[in-house]
Amino acid sequence: CKHTILQLTPSPFAELAGFEQPTPKARKVATTSTGHIPPISGPNLMKEAQTKSQSFPAPLVLPHDALNYDPDGEGPAQTFKSWLQEKHRNMITEKRKTLYVGGPPKIDEKVNFMREWVNPKGTRTADDEQLTPPSVDETIAYIRDFYHGMPVKRLSIDLWWTAWEQSKKCAVPSADGLPQYVALSYGDAATRVRARPSPDSIFPAQLNLDDILDAAIAMLPDDAYAIVLLVDHDIYESPDDDFCAGRAYGGSRVSLVQSARYNPLLDEKIGIECEHAWPMSHCRCVVDELCAPEEVKCKPATAIEKALSKTGAMRAAVDAVVKLEMHVDDTKAELEALWASRVLRTVSHELGHTLCLAHCHYYACIMQSTSSLLEDTRQPPSLCPVCLSKIAH
């Protein structure tokens, strides 16, 4: 695929799903602290919006995307002004301004079986090796740049997976051979964490994220603005979940991200096609192809769409990746770099929630909601103009 025409507006399916991108004026107003902009003529506003779309395209809204199921995006879109006025927003202060990164927990010999839980079943590299997930140091370096100006530190407490010895239920396996509970140990304390088999059997077991986040609240340092915990294991939230990639309790200033599900060795099994991951996800050819099963009539590109596809940041990004792909092989190092990029994107997203950023649907944005790993790979790693205005403040 040459990615010649770019989809800078919502997909043809978006209208069928009931999604409407906020108007150019609403998008511009949303970046202001006052909720007002100087008068601007309709044609000039439209031209400005078209130019901006070359850097910040619209959400695609493809079949089975989050905005397909909830086209209103969980309620009114959060503007810069409404973010400023949010009563539950935690303020950054001199005494509480540091972002902490903790984990992944080490595995105690009492629960040595948990080492097998991090490896997806039936996956190895070409050299019959397992990949190494992104490290805390990588995460700290990335977050320090992404949330520029905020101190970022490693959590000084040692985290361990160990046995939950306050109950016999840890020692006595359930019918599937798994303990019902394990413990997350931090300092002199420990929190009980529920365990269960993975519903889709991709991993041997999963851990409950609510329990882990309870532990995160308990270990939050006094000078922390927020904390993100990394875990190598698969996690879930509710009994009906297949899995959950990450979660934040924004008001409590804690977040959690797993690396297990982002392992590139799972791509073929899940159906992830790297050729059309971000930014190539906005290639018109693949968008039309994904809309076709819904019997959507995809129209030929207009002269304006063709012209907008030739220049701008999105075109530069697509061309750069295409050029890079000619020199990339599926080596262990390359796969680990891909793995890190996916995890770090979600870390940035979940920490955004601790900064009181709501899910965004003004543009394609790192703060968009997502309903699957397939949608995850189609979304950008960066903030849109509306969310950027909040973080810059």
Side-chain angles (χ1 to χ4, degrees), residues 128-145:
D128 198 34
E129 294 179 292
Q130 288 291 354
L131 302 179
T132 303
S135 68
V136 171
D137 288 339
E138 281 182 283
T139 306
I140 288 173
Y142 188 86
I143 294 305
R144 189 172 283 142
D145 286 343

Side-chain angles (χ1 to χ4, degrees), residues 95-369:
K95 293 183 179 179
R96 202 173 70 184
K97 63 180 181 182
T98 302
L99 299 175
Y100 278 89
V101 181
K106 299 172 186 175
I107 298 174
D108 185 79
E109 288 185 5
K110 295 177 183 177
V111 289
N112 207 41
F113 52 83
M114 290 184 70
R115 297 181 193 282
E116 289 301 314
W117 293 3
V118 302
N119 298 321
K121 295 180 180 178
T123 56
R124 296 271 174 177
T125 66
D127 298 323
D128 198 34
E129 294 179 292
Q130 288 291 354
L131 302 179
T132 303
S135 68
V136 171
D137 288 339
E138 281 182 283
T139 306
I140 288 173
Y142 188 86
I143 294 305
R144 189 172 283 142
D145 286 343
F146 192 95
Y147 291 110
H148 183 71
M150 293 190 76
V152 185
K153 296 180 182 178
R154 177 193 288 264
L155 188 69
S156 59
I157 305 171
D158 285 334
L159 306 180
W160 287 87
W161 294 118
T162 188
W164 180 248
E165 295 175 339
Q166 298 180 30
S167 169
K168 293 181 180 179
K169 289 185 177 179
C170 180
V172 180
S174 55
D176 44 52
L178 299 176
Q180 291 181 272
Y181 310 113
V182 294
L184 177 56
S185 169
Y186 44 98
D188 296 329
T191 295
R192 187 194 74 174
V193 178
R194 285 165 283 179
R196 73 170 192 182
S198 172
D200 58 12
S201 301
I202 288 180
F203 291 91
Q206 296 176 318
L207 301 171
N208 183 263
L209 71 85
D210 290 320
D211 297 339
I212 301 172
L213 284 172
D214 285 344
I217 293 171
M219 66 180 78
L220 196 65
D222 292 339
D223 66 338
Y225 179 81
I227 187 173
V228 58
L229 293 184
L230 307 177
V231 294
D232 292 338
H233 291 81
D234 195 16
I235 57 175
Y236 75 99
E237 185 170 22
S238 70
D240 296 331
D241 281 348
D242 282 338
F243 67 92
C244 184
R247 179 68 74 231
Y249 293 170
S252 298
R253 299 178 287 127
V254 296
S255 57
L256 171 69
V257 174
Q258 67 148 302
S259 60
R261 289 280 172 168
Y262 288 115
N263 190 328
L265 298 181
L266 288 171
D267 284 4
E268 186 176 352
K269 187 175 289 189
I270 296 169
I272 290 176
E273 182 204 354
C274 286
E275 187 186 4
H276 283 104
W278 174 270
M280 292 87 71
S281 52
H282 282 258
C283 165
R284 184 69 171 264
C285 288
V286 76
V287 169
D288 287 351
E289 184 181 312
L290 292 171
C291 290
E294 303 298 324
E295 299 182 359
V296 175
K297 291 185 178 180
C298 300
K299 301 175 183 177
T302 65
I304 291 176
E305 289 172 331
K306 290 178 181 178
L308 291 173
S309 296
K310 291 179 179 178
T311 60
M314 281 296 289
R315 170 48 59 193
V318 168
D319 290 348
V321 176
V322 169
K323 187 176 180 181
L324 182 68
E325 281 183 331
M326 298 183 339
H327 308 285
V328 172
D329 297 314
D330 285 341
T331 62
K332 185 172 185 286
E334 294 289 357
L335 290 171
E336 287 175 349
L338 177 60
W339 194 357
S341 74
R342 294 172 177 177
V343 173
L344 294 172
R345 182 198 168 281
T346 302
V347 168
S348 306
H349 174 101
E350 298 304 343
L351 279 174
H353 286 316
T354 69
L355 288 153
C356 204
L357 298 188
H359 282 148
C360 174
H361 58 266
Y362 284 105
Y363 299 90
C365 176
I366 194 172
M367 291 311 298
Q368 268 182 261
S369 55

Side-chain angles (χ1 to χ4, degrees), residues 47-59:
K47 186 175 180 180
E48 181 184 317
Q50 288 175 344
T51 302
K52 181 153 279 189
S53 73
Q54 293 179 295
S55 298
F56 301 100

Side-chain angles (χ1 to χ4, degrees), residues 83-99:
W83 176 83
L84 281 171
Q85 296 173 343
E86 176 57 60
K87 293 178 182 178
H88 300 292
R89 180 166 63 90
N90 292 300
M91 299 296 178
I92 297 173
T93 67
E94 278 303 310
K95 293 183 179 179
R96 202 173 70 184
K97 63 180 181 182
T98 302
L99 299 175

